[in-house]
Amino acid sequence: MKSDAIKNGVQNAPHRALYHALGMTEEEISRPLVGIVSSYNEIVPGHMNLDKIVEAVRMGVAMAGGTPVVFPAIAVCDGIAMGHVGMKYSLVTRDLIADSTEAMALAHGFDALVMVPNCDKNVPGLLMAAARLNLPCIFVSGGPMLPGRVHGERTSFSTISEAVGRYNAGTMDEEELKEYECKTCPTCGSCAGMYTANSMNCLTEALGMALRGNGTIPAVYSARLELAKRTGMAIMRLLREDLRPRDVMTASAFENALTVDMALGCSTNSMLHLPAIANECGISIDLDHANAISERTPNLCHLAPAGRTYLDQLDEAGGVYAVMHELSKRGLLHTDCRTVTGKTVGENIAHAENLDPEVIRPIETPYSETGGIAVLRGNLAPDGCVVKRSAVLPEMLVHEGPARVFDCEEDAQAAINGGKIRPGDVVVIRYEGPKGGPGMREMLNPTSAIMGMGLGNSVALITDGRFSGATRGACVGHISPEAASGGPIGLVCEGDRIRIDIPAHRIELLVDEQTLAERRASFVPKKKELTGYLKRYASLVSSGASGAVLRTKG
């Protein structure tokens, strides 16, 4: 065991003295040391129950003969951080989480790790750490929130976000808005739709790094605690078998994850996180690869915000394994991939059943023959950009209109709220990319305002920033290169015509090349005065097209 190097022998008596200071018995010291990485805190609704999940994992580890030791990981609530400077600190925590976990695991000689994340950046951050450390490792999340209920209809976070737009448009009064505010998020857990947190927890199952149900069992169900105990027991088997993350997260496993991503209609943020996780495994995922998978993968689920079903219904319908079973009928998965269950993908899903064809469409009758995410290219985004195709209204799949240009989210939000955006417009928000933001803020507030004000069937929004998984509509993000790096989005002028053609995977600035050359010759990207971690992050971060990973020097 790795920990033997710091526990055994006369020379390690000082180390053992410190274990005794922790209250450990000789028996505990002699057993494998299993780190439990807890993302628990009291500010993120998806993390407030993680203390109970962690205790269940501890019990599972101890029952299977290990010594569990808990240490923390930070977490930012994207919903609370939304729309102000706090959102600059969301994506950047992905690397802080990976780095701090690496430091804690190696400094203390852990033999194996159980990762307990839930919301947004914690899942990819800990998957990056798992790949980097390559110790036996398994994941169990805190689980999704149950949907709310207002006026007899189920609701989730995107509902309250769009309700603000309806209030600003004068179609909802303050009393009704307050009702949505109080009833939309009724339990702990990651927000109830197929937003980023639930997308990544489902994809952790698809990657083979978590047990069945990790992505879908609701946070408040006792089955979640049972899952945590089984996960704690499973890590001891993985340690005995010496099955490590890079044995599981292979190139084929990432293809499986991308395929499931397209079938589920996951958040566009998965197009940042999967490449970043793969990068830690020494595997390259480019956007064209994702597009090729999307083109052959049918979209089987329309979970909120794309539709009116939620994660608890996906769980009841058979969960991620049922979706994978449908995909396997066309041979779309690598079924020989190893997983932390101790079985292959094929063995895992062999007996999975689709129990609700209204929630999980049979592969013979999908919502569409192509996947939920599309990558676009053109003179406005030479390196690519991303749209959640499954959440775009049919009439907006092709759109052309005049650019309404804003150099930050706040200015765009003010214009939308002030009624200055007209049907047919293309809202352009730039200098919000990984480097220019910095931190690549999510644009849920402006996209929700557009939908709430009744402009979702006539207005598109494009940005070098990114979107919350709660965003729906003709919203194109990750435009690369970004404005701060001299990308063409920085050359767009008010009134320029922009054409978006999602079926053709194209996005074009309809300005002649001579005019663009003249603009390019005099273009100087705007710079922001930065301090602290954001300054360091901006100096190291790569393009959104490559997952916004940090470049290493030397």
Side-chain angles (χ1 to χ4, degrees), residues 131-159:
R132 190 184 301 173
L133 291 162
N134 206 32
L135 297 169
C137 185
I138 192 170
F139 280 66
V140 59
S141 75
M145 183 183 292
L146 291 178
R149 188 172 292 274
V150 181
H151 303 322
E153 291 191 0
R154 299 178 123 213
T155 60
S156 60
F157 190 71
S158 55
T159 314

mmCIF file of all heavy atoms in Angstrom, residues 131-159:
data_model
loop_
_atom_site.group_PDB
_atom_site.id
_atom_site.type_symbol
_atom_site.label_atom_id
_atom_site.label_comp_id
_atom_site.label_asym_id
_atom_site.label_seq_id
_atom_site.Cartn_x
_atom_site.Cartn_y
_atom_site.Cartn_z
ATOM 1 N N ALA A 131 -7.784 11.659 -12.360
ATOM 2 C CA ALA A 131 -6.952 11.271 -13.500
ATOM 3 C C ALA A 131 -5.488 11.608 -13.253
ATOM 4 O O ALA A 131 -4.586 10.831 -13.584
ATOM 5 C CB ALA A 131 -7.459 11.973 -14.759
ATOM 6 N N ARG A 132 -5.256 12.762 -12.670
ATOM 7 C CA ARG A 132 -3.887 13.223 -12.430
ATOM 8 C C ARG A 132 -3.185 12.341 -11.403
ATOM 9 O O ARG A 132 -2.030 11.949 -11.574
ATOM 10 C CB ARG A 132 -3.924 14.673 -11.944
ATOM 11 C CG ARG A 132 -2.581 15.361 -11.884
ATOM 12 C CD ARG A 132 -2.727 16.759 -11.304
ATOM 13 N NE ARG A 132 -3.636 17.601 -12.077
ATOM 14 C CZ ARG A 132 -4.019 18.821 -11.691
ATOM 15 N NH1 ARG A 132 -3.595 19.312 -10.533
ATOM 16 N NH2 ARG A 132 -4.814 19.537 -12.446
ATOM 17 N N LEU A 133 -3.877 12.012 -10.309
ATOM 18 C CA LEU A 133 -3.287 11.202 -9.243
ATOM 19 C C LEU A 133 -3.200 9.733 -9.622
ATOM 20 O O LEU A 133 -2.263 9.029 -9.229
ATOM 21 C CB LEU A 133 -4.131 11.348 -7.975
ATOM 22 C CG LEU A 133 -4.082 12.714 -7.295
ATOM 23 C CD1 LEU A 133 -5.256 12.885 -6.346
ATOM 24 C CD2 LEU A 133 -2.766 12.884 -6.559
ATOM 25 N N ASN A 134 -4.209 9.247 -10.338
ATOM 26 C CA ASN A 134 -4.307 7.852 -10.772
ATOM 27 C C ASN A 134 -4.183 6.863 -9.623
ATOM 28 O O ASN A 134 -3.584 5.789 -9.751
ATOM 29 C CB ASN A 134 -3.276 7.533 -11.866
ATOM 30 C CG ASN A 134 -3.729 6.391 -12.759
ATOM 31 O OD1 ASN A 134 -4.921 6.212 -13.000
ATOM 32 N ND2 ASN A 134 -2.777 5.612 -13.240
ATOM 33 N N LEU A 135 -4.777 7.229 -8.478
ATOM 34 C CA LEU A 135 -4.965 6.288 -7.385
ATOM 35 C C LEU A 135 -6.330 5.624 -7.560
ATOM 36 O O LEU A 135 -7.221 6.204 -8.177
ATOM 37 C CB LEU A 135 -4.962 7.029 -6.045
ATOM 38 C CG LEU A 135 -3.684 7.759 -5.640
ATOM 39 C CD1 LEU A 135 -3.968 8.645 -4.428
ATOM 40 C CD2 LEU A 135 -2.581 6.757 -5.326
ATOM 41 N N PRO A 136 -6.533 4.422 -7.023
ATOM 42 C CA PRO A 136 -7.893 3.852 -7.060
ATOM 43 C C PRO A 136 -8.898 4.874 -6.541
ATOM 44 O O PRO A 136 -8.683 5.493 -5.483
ATOM 45 C CB PRO A 136 -7.777 2.636 -6.142
ATOM 46 C CG PRO A 136 -6.340 2.209 -6.273
ATOM 47 C CD PRO A 136 -5.567 3.501 -6.374
ATOM 48 N N CYS A 137 -9.962 5.060 -7.278
ATOM 49 C CA CYS A 137 -10.854 6.189 -7.005
ATOM 50 C C CYS A 137 -12.270 5.873 -7.483
ATOM 51 O O CYS A 137 -12.453 5.178 -8.486
ATOM 52 C CB CYS A 137 -10.316 7.424 -7.717
ATOM 53 S SG CYS A 137 -11.209 8.926 -7.369
ATOM 54 N N ILE A 138 -13.265 6.419 -6.780
ATOM 55 C CA ILE A 138 -14.660 6.252 -7.158
ATOM 56 C C ILE A 138 -15.427 7.495 -6.728
ATOM 57 O O ILE A 138 -15.005 8.206 -5.814
ATOM 58 C CB ILE A 138 -15.246 4.972 -6.507
ATOM 59 C CG1 ILE A 138 -16.601 4.610 -7.114
ATOM 60 C CG2 ILE A 138 -15.329 5.115 -4.997
ATOM 61 C CD1 ILE A 138 -17.112 3.236 -6.693
ATOM 62 N N PHE A 139 -16.554 7.755 -7.395
ATOM 63 C CA PHE A 139 -17.347 8.962 -7.146
ATOM 64 C C PHE A 139 -18.734 8.601 -6.628
ATOM 65 O O PHE A 139 -19.340 7.623 -7.057
ATOM 66 C CB PHE A 139 -17.521 9.758 -8.447
ATOM 67 C CG PHE A 139 -16.327 10.600 -8.806
ATOM 68 C CD1 PHE A 139 -15.121 10.016 -9.138
ATOM 69 C CD2 PHE A 139 -16.405 11.986 -8.798
ATOM 70 C CE1 PHE A 139 -14.016 10.777 -9.453
ATOM 71 C CE2 PHE A 139 -15.314 12.758 -9.118
ATOM 72 C CZ PHE A 139 -14.106 12.159 -9.446
ATOM 73 N N VAL A 140 -19.241 9.451 -5.722
ATOM 74 C CA VAL A 140 -20.658 9.425 -5.362
ATOM 75 C C VAL A 140 -21.078 10.865 -5.093
ATOM 76 O O VAL A 140 -20.471 11.564 -4.293
ATOM 77 C CB VAL A 140 -20.955 8.518 -4.153
ATOM 78 C CG1 VAL A 140 -20.198 8.943 -2.902
ATOM 79 C CG2 VAL A 140 -22.460 8.479 -3.877
ATOM 80 N N SER A 141 -22.095 11.314 -5.787
ATOM 81 C CA SER A 141 -22.526 12.711 -5.674
ATOM 82 C C SER A 141 -23.613 12.853 -4.612
ATOM 83 O O SER A 141 -24.103 11.871 -4.053
ATOM 84 C CB SER A 141 -23.057 13.209 -7.016
ATOM 85 O OG SER A 141 -24.341 12.664 -7.276
ATOM 86 N N GLY A 142 -24.001 14.106 -4.369
ATOM 87 C CA GLY A 142 -25.062 14.378 -3.405
ATOM 88 C C GLY A 142 -26.456 14.193 -3.960
ATOM 89 O O GLY A 142 -27.428 14.130 -3.213
ATOM 90 N N GLY A 143 -26.575 14.109 -5.297
ATOM 91 C CA GLY A 143 -27.864 13.846 -5.918
ATOM 92 C C GLY A 143 -28.646 15.089 -6.293
ATOM 93 O O GLY A 143 -28.412 16.181 -5.772
ATOM 94 N N PRO A 144 -29.595 14.931 -7.219
ATOM 95 C CA PRO A 144 -30.388 16.070 -7.698
ATOM 96 C C PRO A 144 -31.511 16.465 -6.742
ATOM 97 O O PRO A 144 -32.032 15.658 -5.983
ATOM 98 C CB PRO A 144 -30.960 15.564 -9.025
ATOM 99 C CG PRO A 144 -31.028 14.076 -8.868
ATOM 100 C CD PRO A 144 -29.863 13.706 -7.996
ATOM 101 N N MET A 145 -31.869 17.726 -6.822
ATOM 102 C CA MET A 145 -33.003 18.293 -6.098
ATOM 103 C C MET A 145 -34.307 17.755 -6.699
ATOM 104 O O MET A 145 -34.370 17.452 -7.893
ATOM 105 C CB MET A 145 -32.940 19.820 -6.264
ATOM 106 C CG MET A 145 -33.976 20.636 -5.552
ATOM 107 S SD MET A 145 -33.787 22.417 -5.958
ATOM 108 C CE MET A 145 -32.229 22.812 -5.170
ATOM 109 N N LEU A 146 -35.325 17.646 -5.883
ATOM 110 C CA LEU A 146 -36.657 17.378 -6.429
ATOM 111 C C LEU A 146 -37.199 18.654 -7.061
ATOM 112 O O LEU A 146 -36.911 19.763 -6.586
ATOM 113 C CB LEU A 146 -37.610 16.907 -5.328
ATOM 114 C CG LEU A 146 -37.349 15.524 -4.726
ATOM 115 C CD1 LEU A 146 -38.361 15.249 -3.612
ATOM 116 C CD2 LEU A 146 -37.412 14.430 -5.788
ATOM 117 N N PRO A 147 -37.966 18.537 -8.135
ATOM 118 C CA PRO A 147 -38.550 19.750 -8.729
ATOM 119 C C PRO A 147 -39.569 20.385 -7.802
ATOM 120 O O PRO A 147 -40.156 19.708 -6.943
ATOM 121 C CB PRO A 147 -39.205 19.236 -10.021
ATOM 122 C CG PRO A 147 -39.447 17.784 -9.766
ATOM 123 C CD PRO A 147 -38.352 17.322 -8.868
ATOM 124 N N GLY A 148 -39.775 21.692 -7.972
ATOM 125 C CA GLY A 148 -40.826 22.371 -7.236
ATOM 126 C C GLY A 148 -42.169 22.193 -7.930
ATOM 127 O O GLY A 148 -42.284 21.482 -8.935
ATOM 128 N N ARG A 149 -43.173 22.852 -7.397
ATOM 129 C CA ARG A 149 -44.494 22.793 -8.014
ATOM 130 C C ARG A 149 -45.204 24.122 -7.773
ATOM 131 O O ARG A 149 -45.379 24.550 -6.629
ATOM 132 C CB ARG A 149 -45.317 21.637 -7.445
ATOM 133 C CG ARG A 149 -46.628 21.395 -8.184
ATOM 134 C CD ARG A 149 -47.303 20.120 -7.704
ATOM 135 N NE ARG A 149 -46.575 18.924 -8.078
ATOM 136 C CZ ARG A 149 -46.699 18.292 -9.246
ATOM 137 N NH1 ARG A 149 -47.510 18.767 -10.168
ATOM 138 N NH2 ARG A 149 -46.019 17.199 -9.492
ATOM 139 N N VAL A 150 -45.568 24.792 -8.867
ATOM 140 C CA VAL A 150 -46.286 26.057 -8.814
ATOM 141 C C VAL A 150 -47.450 25.983 -9.788
ATOM 142 O O VAL A 150 -47.272 25.613 -10.957
ATOM 143 C CB VAL A 150 -45.374 27.250 -9.169
ATOM 144 C CG1 VAL A 150 -46.152 28.558 -9.091
ATOM 145 C CG2 VAL A 150 -44.165 27.304 -8.241
ATOM 146 N N HIS A 151 -48.643 26.302 -9.329
ATOM 147 C CA HIS A 151 -49.855 26.261 -10.155
ATOM 148 C C HIS A 151 -50.033 24.891 -10.806
ATOM 149 O O HIS A 151 -50.471 24.780 -11.960
ATOM 150 C CB HIS A 151 -49.815 27.331 -11.243
ATOM 151 C CG HIS A 151 -49.633 28.721 -10.725
ATOM 152 N ND1 HIS A 151 -50.219 29.185 -9.568
ATOM 153 C CD2 HIS A 151 -48.915 29.766 -11.220
ATOM 154 C CE1 HIS A 151 -49.881 30.445 -9.366
ATOM 155 N NE2 HIS A 151 -49.089 30.824 -10.350
ATOM 156 N N GLY A 152 -49.644 23.842 -10.085
ATOM 157 C CA GLY A 152 -49.828 22.487 -10.590
ATOM 158 C C GLY A 152 -48.769 22.031 -11.572
ATOM 159 O O GLY A 152 -48.818 20.893 -12.041
ATOM 160 N N GLU A 153 -47.795 22.889 -11.880
ATOM 161 C CA GLU A 153 -46.736 22.524 -12.820
ATOM 162 C C GLU A 153 -45.411 22.370 -12.085
ATOM 163 O O GLU A 153 -45.115 23.114 -11.146
ATOM 164 C CB GLU A 153 -46.603 23.585 -13.921
ATOM 165 C CG GLU A 153 -47.784 23.630 -14.864
ATOM 166 C CD GLU A 153 -47.488 24.505 -16.078
ATOM 167 O OE1 GLU A 153 -46.375 25.055 -16.164
ATOM 168 O OE2 GLU A 153 -48.381 24.623 -16.939
ATOM 169 N N ARG A 154 -44.610 21.384 -12.541
ATOM 170 C CA ARG A 154 -43.296 21.172 -11.947
ATOM 171 C C ARG A 154 -42.341 22.280 -12.393
ATOM 172 O O ARG A 154 -42.417 22.763 -13.526
ATOM 173 C CB ARG A 154 -42.744 19.805 -12.341
ATOM 174 C CG ARG A 154 -43.618 18.658 -11.860
ATOM 175 C CD ARG A 154 -43.067 17.327 -12.300
ATOM 176 N NE ARG A 154 -42.823 16.471 -11.138
ATOM 177 C CZ ARG A 154 -41.843 15.591 -11.050
ATOM 178 N NH1 ARG A 154 -41.000 15.445 -12.037
ATOM 179 N NH2 ARG A 154 -41.684 14.862 -9.961
ATOM 180 N N THR A 155 -41.439 22.665 -11.486
ATOM 181 C CA THR A 155 -40.537 23.784 -11.753
ATOM 182 C C THR A 155 -39.116 23.444 -11.331
ATOM 183 O O THR A 155 -38.887 22.511 -10.548
ATOM 184 C CB THR A 155 -40.982 25.034 -10.975
ATOM 185 O OG1 THR A 155 -40.963 24.735 -9.569
ATOM 186 C CG2 THR A 155 -42.380 25.478 -11.373
ATOM 187 N N SER A 156 -38.165 24.224 -11.844
ATOM 188 C CA SER A 156 -36.772 24.114 -11.411
ATOM 189 C C SER A 156 -36.125 25.484 -11.570
ATOM 190 O O SER A 156 -36.804 26.475 -11.858
ATOM 191 C CB SER A 156 -36.027 23.057 -12.231
ATOM 192 O OG SER A 156 -36.024 23.394 -13.599
ATOM 193 N N PHE A 157 -34.820 25.554 -11.407
ATOM 194 C CA PHE A 157 -34.139 26.845 -11.333
ATOM 195 C C PHE A 157 -34.347 27.704 -12.581
ATOM 196 O O PHE A 157 -34.456 28.923 -12.496
ATOM 197 C CB PHE A 157 -32.639 26.635 -11.084
ATOM 198 C CG PHE A 157 -31.907 27.903 -10.754
ATOM 199 C CD1 PHE A 157 -32.107 28.534 -9.539
ATOM 200 C CD2 PHE A 157 -31.026 28.466 -11.663
ATOM 201 C CE1 PHE A 157 -31.440 29.709 -9.231
ATOM 202 C CE2 PHE A 157 -30.352 29.636 -11.365
ATOM 203 C CZ PHE A 157 -30.556 30.267 -10.139
ATOM 204 N N SER A 158 -34.405 27.079 -13.743
ATOM 205 C CA SER A 158 -34.628 27.862 -14.964
ATOM 206 C C SER A 158 -35.997 28.537 -14.937
ATOM 207 O O SER A 158 -36.188 29.608 -15.530
ATOM 208 C CB SER A 158 -34.499 26.984 -16.215
ATOM 209 O OG SER A 158 -35.369 25.872 -16.150
ATOM 210 N N THR A 159 -36.951 27.945 -14.219
ATOM 211 C CA THR A 159 -38.297 28.522 -14.134
ATOM 212 C C THR A 159 -38.273 29.872 -13.435
ATOM 213 O O THR A 159 -38.861 30.849 -13.910
ATOM 214 C CB THR A 159 -39.245 27.570 -13.376
ATOM 215 O OG1 THR A 159 -39.079 26.238 -13.861
ATOM 216 C CG2 THR A 159 -40.688 28.000 -13.553
#
